[in-house]
Amino acid sequence: MNDKKLIFSGIQPTGTFTLGNYIGAVRNWGPLQDEYNCIYCVVDMHAITVRQDPVKLRQNSLNSYALLMACGVDPQKSILFIQSHVKTHAELSWILGCNTQFGELSRMTQFKDKSQKHADDVNSGLFTYPVLMAADILAYNADLVPVGVDQKQHLELARNIAQRFNQRYGDFFTLPEPYIPEVGAKVMSLQEPTKKMSKSDENPNACILILDDKDTIIRKFKRAVTDSDTEVCYREGKDGINNLMTIYSIVTGKDFAAIESEFAGRGYGDFKLAVGEAVADHLEPVRTEFDRLSKDKAYLKQCYTEGAEKALRYSQRIISKVYRKVGFVDKT
Ligand code: TYM
């Protein structure tokens, strides 16, 4: 590769991404390809920390792969692959796990949330999930990791693990920096705007899926929870409106002042409809491209096979050095 900085990021294969995934992370992945060397991954191994139907997981992973391409990731410019195709992630994860404290993992808020939600299956993979995430990043010695705000704690842990390894075995890993967008790093639920928008929300109106059709998107925005005020303006305490203004600003490129004057005296109904239409129009090309790509199974297969080969080659070099550093006997 050249001397550009290296970006790594991943997304769980939920089949279709939420507007939160899109705005907080994936939408930025395409444009970053021009400035950085980029490695992106569908993290199917992370997904099985909660129970998955195998048939659906396989389909969702393929759909997520195609959807990343439809959102602008170009497998000719980036390395785009499926995590379970590249064995180095699991290998490095073991070594990093031996350099991670039980206490550190116990403090992860996502673990606490998920173990409450899946109380009948608090498996050790759910607990060590952030170690595998650290391995994803460190297996490439990535400089920057574009994510939404909810992944910040995991990223701090990845830095701490890298730092500890460096202290024990001598400087080796780059300490990865989070790359969090200034606007849209936490898209909120449309029904409970103090909570993050998430696909696992039980209320389907809380969450926009980027493959939702135009009518569905508009209907969900029309039902968005706001407040008893009538003025469209960005202000503390107006969580619902602030969230809609953020979304509208991102899909139209208008700043908050322009949005406030556009909707001055017009009320929330008009505003919600405009946000719904703007989001649906913005996502239309993604849906069209996804439909086209997902039919071309042979092309997709070629892309993810080549992606995995490149990722393996790259990370293998790093893992071999890690094995030497920790004192494993050379195989050849
Ligand atoms: P995941 O699959 O939950 O989410 C993928 C990306 O979407 C962002 N995101 C959001 N951003 C703004 N508002 C929201 N409501 C919202 N919901 C999700 C997430 O911050 C994330 O950037 N553990 C990771 C996947 C992962 C990873 C990695 C990421 C595995 N290995 C290595 C970076 C580097 C996860 O579960 O993301």
Side-chain angles (χ1 to χ4, degrees), residues 307-324:
E309 279 163 11
K310 287 187 219 159
L312 181 64
R313 223 175 303 132
Y314 196 105
S315 54
Q316 191 75 65
R317 281 203 306 271
I318 293 186
I319 305 301
S320 302
K321 290 184 189 154
V322 170
Y323 274 26
R324 289 212 104 221

Side-chain angles (χ1 to χ4, degrees), residues 68 100 184 190 201 206 319 322:
L68 285 178
T100 308
L190 297 188
D201 201 308
I319 305 301
V322 170

Side-chain angles (χ1 to χ4, degrees), residues 179-243:
Y179 192 93
I180 296 176
E182 267 169 38
V183 184
K186 190 170 185 186
V187 176
M188 308 311 259
S189 153
L190 297 188
Q191 290 297 311
E192 274 177 87
T194 49
K195 260 179 45 187
K196 178 185 89 161
M197 181 182 283
S198 160
K199 199 184 174 192
S200 57
D201 201 308
E202 272 150 31
N203 184 344
N205 290 323
C207 171
I208 301 288
L209 301 175
I210 68 171
L211 295 176
D212 278 344
D213 60 40
K214 184 166 186 168
D215 289 347
T216 307
I217 293 177
I218 291 175
R219 181 169 40 77
K220 287 181 182 177
F221 275 109
K222 274 189 181 162
R223 293 185 185 168
V225 169
T226 47
D227 51 56
S228 54
D229 194 16
T230 51
E231 205 185 336
V232 175
C233 63
Y234 197 97
R235 204 182 306 130
E236 176 134 14
K238 288 172 72 77
D239 300 309
I241 289 295
N242 294 350
N243 190 38

Side-chain angles (χ1 to χ4, degrees), residues 10 12 20-21 24 129 133 136 147-148 150-151 185-187 196-197:
Q12 294 205 49
N21 293 139
Y129 176 116
M133 179 162 160
D136 296 338
V147 281
D150 63 331
Q151 295 299 320
K186 190 170 185 186
V187 176
K196 178 185 89 161
M197 181 182 283

